[in-house]
Amino acid sequence: MSNKIIPYGKQDITESDIQVVVETLKSDYLTQGPRIKEFEDNFAKYVGAKYAVAVANGTAALHLCTLALGVQPGDKVITTPITFAASANCVKYCGGEVIFGDIDSDTYLLDIASVRRLLEESPKGTYKGIIPVDFAGRAVNLEDFKKLAQEYNLWIIEDACHAPGGFFIDANGKRQLCGNGEYADLAIFSFHPVKHIASGEGGMVTTNDESLYKKLLQLRTHGIVKDNNLYQNSSAFAGESNEYPLWYMEMQTLGYNYRITDFQAALGNNQLKRADIGLEKRRTIASVYQKAFADKTFLRGQSGVVEGHAYHLYIIEVPNRKELYDYLRSHKIFAQIHYIPCHLMPYYRNFGWKEGDREKSEQYYKQCISLPMYPTLTDQEQAYVIELILKFYATR
Ligand SMILES: *Cc1c(COP(=O)(O)O)cnc(C)c1O
């Protein structure tokens, strides 16, 4: 093999991507122009949701969600320890309290039974919401979560950063796309370069709820309203006559600047056109790994090929994980670990979390490793990764 590094994930930027960005740079708008709405409309269509709001990044998307849902200091929210820290942090931004459930060892997703246990242990009303994560690209069964949420009067934010195009099959045998707003109040996506669709930095919130949609739009831009019908100051205050002048606007709530730029939206929108091709390639790569490792006894578990899986990551669980990681790295294959359990991060330990609190997540962490998985990974590169892994375990 050449000296090229094979990472665990990587963006794919084509000539046409470059062209749309350059075109936008030459246009009248660098930000707040027409490319943003175009990207939002196409993305909403892609995931089957009514509304989409493009934002600066996935973390800003999460923060807007907790703001729009009105998370207050002390509010308790449940999420999974096996996720990127931002899934939990968005609760802390609003002063809320994060309670971690545990994962299902087979799916690596937030275990609904662990969530139910938490809910049953406390008086009703203790918890306000759940943030399930379509971890690695595998869709959470939100139909089940929605039933539980209704029972306890909870909202749901679906962290779908890993799963644009992913789906689960509902009780009627129907495909439910991640972020389609059918069960979750809000869903979020990220367009960081390692994710399926890259825009540099970028994120999206999707929803079917019109009132949440309007709140998101307002919070994204400083809490500013520009609509004659919604003003709170009288028109007499606003202008000398009894009409609101054209310059008029009101800042009605404390919002942020979480906007995306037009050239990022142009890039994201162009990438979205190839999203299905990329997804297809990811599923092919997964099936090649699956076949290569099918009868290998060193495997403790693997995500396998699951219908609707969007394969942001391809994870296997193995013994001698650190040695394998170092061995691959010495051959310029940069595998990665997803994730160090969030509850054991020093920040969350401040709130009393400690080893042993979430056993399945901690056990999973000890042996998981994410193998290279991205649409431009060549057959030859993948064969090389597989060959090295088989060689590594042949002598152990
Ligand atoms: C990437 C990611 C985020 C945050 O997205 P950014 O765009 O990097 O802010 C949140 N949750 C999960 C699960 C992610 O993978």
Side-chain angles (χ1 to χ4, degrees):
M1 282 305 283
S2 72
N3 269 341
K4 217 172 91 190
I5 285 168
I6 304 177
Y8 82 89
K10 189 167 143 184
Q11 75 274 21
D12 174 31
I13 301 292
T14 63
E15 275 309 314
S16 127
D17 288 336
I18 293 167
Q19 205 180 324
V20 298
V21 172
V22 170
E23 271 166 25
T24 313
L25 290 173
K26 288 177 176 169
S27 77
D28 289 338
Y29 295 96
L30 290 190
T31 191
Q32 291 174 280
R35 296 286 92 84
I36 295 170
K37 188 73 171 65
E38 197 175 278
F39 186 27
E40 289 172 340
D41 289 348
N42 289 332
F43 195 86
K45 210 177 291 164
Y46 182 67
V47 303
K50 273 195 190 145
Y51 308 103
V53 177
V55 293
N57 53 63
T59 306
L62 282 162
H63 188 196
L64 286 186
C65 290
T66 49
L67 287 166
L69 290 164
V71 173
Q72 298 296 314
D75 283 359
K76 285 193 163 100
V77 175
I78 301 170
T79 191
T80 169
I82 300 301
T83 187
F84 184 60
S87 318
N89 296 351
C90 64
V91 175
K92 301 302 297 179
Y93 296 155
C94 294
E97 197 181 326
V98 180
I99 308 295
F100 294 98
D102 207 348
I103 60 164
D104 175 323
S105 300
D106 294 327
T107 64
Y108 312 151
L109 302 176
L110 178 61
D111 179 12
I112 194 163
S114 80
V115 176
R116 182 176 282 284
R117 240 177 342 258
L118 285 169
L119 295 170
E120 283 171 355
E121 278 166 9
S122 303
K124 266 196 180 172
T126 302
Y127 290 92
K128 302 295 183 214
I130 318 175
I131 307 179
V133 180
D134 299 313
F135 174 66
R138 186 170 182 149
V140 169
N141 185 322
L142 287 176
E143 190 180 27
D144 293 344
F145 271 97
K146 176 72 177 175
K147 279 185 207 139
L148 188 60
Q150 278 171 332
E151 217 179 300
Y152 285 86
N153 196 24
L154 310 169
W155 48 252
I156 297 174
I157 300 172
E158 176 187 9
D159 183 338
C161 282
H162 295 182
F167 61 84
F168 73 93
I169 307 288
D170 72 13
N172 294 320
K174 224 180 114 198
R175 287 181 177 196
Q176 297 289 345
L177 281 167
C178 294
N180 73 358
E182 199 61 40
Y183 302 103
D185 297 271
L186 296 159
I188 71 109
F189 296 86
S190 162
F191 308 124
H192 180 279
V194 297
K195 311 290 161 77
H196 289 213
I197 296 162
S199 70
E201 297 284 350
M204 193 77 81
V205 186
T206 58
T207 184
N208 287 347
D209 183 318
E210 191 183 1
S211 89
L212 285 174
Y213 171 63
K214 286 181 173 163
K215 279 187 196 166
L216 294 169
L217 290 179
Q218 195 177 331
L219 289 163
R220 175 176 66 176
T221 302
H222 309 283
I224 287 173
V225 173
K226 202 161 172 45
D227 180 343
N228 280 0
N229 301 312
L230 299 175
Y231 292 146
Q232 294 170 5
N233 283 330
S234 75
S235 55
F237 161 82
E240 294 86 51
S241 65
N242 274 333
E243 264 175 48
Y244 292 102
L246 279 176
W247 72 70
Y248 194 69
M249 54 83 172
E250 285 183 358
M251 189 210 118
Q252 296 183 342
T253 56
L254 186 61
Y256 296 79
N257 177 355
Y258 278 167
R259 293 186 301 258
I260 193 170
T261 64
D262 259 51
F263 50 95
Q264 288 172 311
L267 177 55
N269 193 41
N270 206 56
Q271 292 244 322
L272 180 59
K273 293 180 190 156
R274 301 199 304 280
D276 278 335
I277 298 169
L279 198 54
E280 199 64 28
K281 189 73 213 292
R282 286 172 185 275
R283 287 176 177 154
T284 304
I285 291 168
S287 70
V288 171
Y289 278 134
Q290 165 91 346
K291 272 199 207 95
F293 301 137
D295 56 355
K296 298 294 176 262
T297 49
F298 62 80
L299 280 201
R300 298 229 171 117
Q302 61 173 309
S303 47
V305 174
V306 176
E307 196 185 4
H309 201 308
Y311 289 105
H312 166 57
L313 303 173
Y314 192 87
I315 298 165
I316 55 174
E317 286 179 87
V318 291
N320 306 101
R321 188 268 310 269
K322 166 143 191 330
E323 289 85 343
L324 176 64
Y325 173 89
D326 291 340
Y327 176 76
L328 291 175
R329 216 174 156 87
S330 72
H331 289 85
K332 295 212 157 56
I333 295 165
F334 287 19
Q336 187 52 284
I337 307 306
H338 297 93
Y339 289 96
I340 300 168
C342 209
H343 67 288
L344 298 179
M345 287 292 170
Y347 173 76
Y348 284 100
R349 285 182 195 256
N350 289 334
F351 303 96
W353 293 96
K354 56 184 188 321
E355 269 99 344
D357 280 348
R358 294 297 177 256
E359 280 174 17
K360 288 176 187 163
S361 299
E362 292 167 34
Q363 181 56 33
Y364 159 82
Y365 166 62
K366 287 183 187 144
Q367 50 197 35
C368 68
I369 185 164
S370 307
L371 304 181
M373 165 58 84
Y374 48 92
T376 55
L377 181 72
T378 65
D379 294 352
Q380 198 193 6
E381 286 167 333
Q382 190 183 11
Y384 179 57
V385 173
I386 291 167
E387 182 196 317
L388 285 177
I389 295 171
L390 295 180
K391 204 165 130 194
F392 177 85
Y393 284 106
T395 56
R396 274 169 182 83

